[in-house]
Amino acid sequence: MAQSNDRPRILVTGGAGFIGSHTTVALYEAGFHPVVVDDLRNSREDVVAGMERIIGAPVEWHRADCGNSEAMAPVFSQPVAGAIHFAADKAVGESVEHPEKYFDNNIGGTARFVAMLREHHVPHLVFSSSCTVYGEASQLPVSETSPILPAESPYGYTKQACEQLLWNAHAAAKGQLGVAILRYFNPIGAHPSAEIGELPLGPPANLVPFLTQAVAGHRGPLTVFGEDYPTADGTCVRDYLHVCDLAEAHVAALNWLEGAKGELDTFNLGTGEGSSVKEVIASFEEATGEKVPHQMGDRRAGDVTAIYANPIKAKEKLGWATKRSLKTCLADAWHWQQRLSQS
Ligand code: UD1
């Protein structure tokens, strides 16, 4: 592998984002040299300082759009052992309003970045996909062989299209590019140090950051989007996993790629357990002792009723499984919110 200070250099696009920053820390702790590439369109520079405080060392980072080959030239000026591609827009609702933005940044950006990887003979790519590719699954839990149904949102479609692109690029590279496609379920929580966490700019679209901001009094009550779904309590069911567990899966995927010799494979990353929105609220209250101000509301466009993972393949092939409980996730998210509220 390409080395820097005896550590393999791994590009992390979107490395100042929520999952990217936790993965950067996990990579460093596992002996890699992470190279953060982020144009800060949806993050802030102080995330880098938070990562540096955790690892106690400087983080190499480049403020660059990973889809811009000129801006990426300095990143590729030294050999690269692998890449993890997170950089993308990710708000389901926004993608319904502004599909062009999602097609351009998520699909176009990935196509341009993959072309650079091939040009620079980078042997390994880990791609940030999503359980959204399954659409409204008819059988639960979903496994990697479950059907890819029509996407419920433009965001979901971009993940499906990027997966297809990677199959084609992998075939074209004829064994020179190994690819791990990781389908995340719902990552939440924050690093236990509360140095890094989810940092939504503007009103959060996702459940847990909205919930913690509502509890902290920065927002009005949380609206539960729909209580007439065909689930046990009427609210949507998701598979919530701790972002630090998810970060460790990327290290496991890189290690798998190192032995896989140019293969492509796809992995579900979840706990295997579904929790409803009401269960998340109750669990948060138990974990923190705080009351969640909330109200019932209408369904949100683009939401599926229920989805959770069959995570067996990741356990068998990557040796990875989640370790942290839902309560730990929510306690860590609250700890992070309290830190943000003070700053
Ligand atoms: C979706 C994708 C997920 C992706 C994420 C990125 C699906 C099935 N999942 O997650 O893969 O990583 O977007 O943003 O497409 N909720 C409320 N009130 C709120 C916010 C959310 O009730 O204010 C509910 C939603 O209706 C949903 C659950 O909370 O049932 C989780 O929502 P959210 O955190 O936004 O994630 P998903 O939409 O499930």
Side-chain angles (χ1 to χ4, degrees), residues 5-290:
N5 306 323
D6 294 332
R7 288 166 170 260
R9 286 181 91 234
I10 306 294
L11 303 191
V12 188
T13 76
F18 175 44
I19 310 171
S21 58
H22 291 79
T23 299
T24 298
V25 168
L27 287 169
Y28 185 87
E29 287 172 346
F32 292 96
H33 176 89
V35 178
V36 169
V37 177
D38 203 302
D39 62 6
L40 301 186
R41 77 179 70 185
N42 196 24
S43 187
R44 290 202 314 238
E45 192 165 349
D46 53 10
V47 174
V48 177
M51 295 190 271
E52 289 176 337
R53 282 194 295 274
I54 296 171
I55 66 179
V59 170
E60 179 184 342
W61 89 282
H62 300 259
R63 184 168 187 168
D65 173 352
C66 66
N68 178 330
S69 56
E70 243 171 72
M72 289 294 284
V75 178
F76 285 108
S77 64
Q78 291 175 60
V80 174
I84 305 182
H85 181 45
F86 291 105
D89 290 308
K90 62 153 200 166
V92 173
E94 185 194 41
S95 79
V96 175
E97 297 296 319
H98 298 289
E100 310 81 1
K101 176 179 173 187
Y102 280 70
F103 276 60
D104 180 46
N105 190 34
N106 293 11
I107 304 176
T110 298
R112 292 188 289 274
F113 181 62
V114 171
M116 287 175 224
L117 296 181
R118 290 187 58 204
E119 186 190 330
H120 292 280
H121 307 289
V122 176
H124 305 314
L125 170 62
V126 179
F127 178 65
S128 177
S129 190
S130 164
C131 67
T132 193
V133 300
Y134 297 114
E136 183 79 77
S138 55
Q139 279 201 327
L140 295 173
V142 287
S143 61
E144 292 80 356
T145 51
S146 295
I148 302 297
L149 298 175
E152 295 286 320
S153 67
Y155 162 77
Y157 178 76
T158 66
K159 292 295 177 188
Q160 294 178 342
C162 285
E163 289 198 5
Q164 181 62 49
L165 164 68
L166 291 176
W167 277 92
N168 296 149
H170 173 258
K174 298 192 172 56
Q176 302 302 301
L177 180 67
V179 181
I181 295 174
L182 305 184
R183 292 180 181 156
Y184 314 149
F185 284 67
N186 285 56
I188 58 168
H191 195 272
S193 65
E195 293 286 2
I196 53 174
E198 202 161 358
L199 195 65
L201 304 181
N206 295 111
L207 176 63
V208 172
F210 199 104
L211 183 156
T212 56
Q213 289 193 11
V215 175
H218 304 316
R219 306 263 162 218
L222 169 74
T223 300
V224 176
F225 293 141
E227 57 169 348
D228 59 348
Y229 284 98
T231 59
D233 63 19
T235 65
C236 292
V237 169
R238 298 285 185 273
D239 184 338
Y240 296 94
L241 74 160
H242 199 293
V243 66
C244 291
D245 279 330
L246 185 58
E248 288 162 13
H250 294 76
V251 174
L254 275 178
N255 290 335
W256 171 76
L257 281 167
E258 187 60 12
K261 307 279 175 251
E263 271 179 62
L264 178 151
D265 213 341
T266 303
F267 301 95
N268 278 348
L269 300 180
T271 66
E273 305 260 329
S275 306
S276 72
V277 179
K278 283 185 178 169
E279 284 170 339
V280 170
I281 293 171
S283 189
F284 181 91
E285 291 182 344
E286 276 176 43
T288 65
E290 301 284 339

